[in-house]
Amino acid sequence: VKVGGMLICRQMPPTAKGICFISLEDETGIANLVVPSDVYAQCRKEIHGALFLVGEGMLERSGKVTNVKTRSVVSVRQ
């Protein structure tokens, strides 16, 4: 799947082993991205420098929680 929106939250807890968690918001709601450490290393500048992001990856569901485990993250310039 591919999701995009305004970056509203970016977290890298020390206990997450290099995984970055990003929340994006658009007019339909909030999308949660899980960015593995290798993808984060490749896309670090985009993740930290953009107001709007597009993440592409696999949709994962666990109970009521839905995330996108990303393969790539791209910044969107306005």
Side-chain angles (χ1 to χ4, degrees):
V1 297
K2 204 181 258 193
V3 295
M6 183 172 66
L7 191 149
I8 59 170
C9 183
R10 176 183 55 240
Q11 299 178 7
M12 284 191 70
T15 57
K17 300 177 184 174
I19 295 173
C20 182
F21 301 96
I22 297 174
S23 295
L24 302 179
E25 183 176 26
D26 67 5
E27 65 275 359
T28 63
I30 295 175
N32 297 310
L33 305 181
V34 177
V35 183
S37 58
D38 59 329
V39 175
Y40 177 79
Q42 294 172 349
C43 304
R44 186 177 186 283
K45 286 185 180 181
E46 287 86 356
I47 291 171
H48 287 275
L51 181 57
F52 296 94
L53 291 173
V54 173
E56 183 177 355
M58 182 68 71
L59 191 67
E60 295 183 334
R61 289 188 182 166
S62 178
K64 293 184 178 183
V65 178
T66 303
N67 296 315
V68 177
K69 185 174 180 185
T70 60
R71 289 186 293 246
S72 67
V73 178
V74 180
S75 65
V76 179
R77 306 274 184 221
Q78 279 205 342

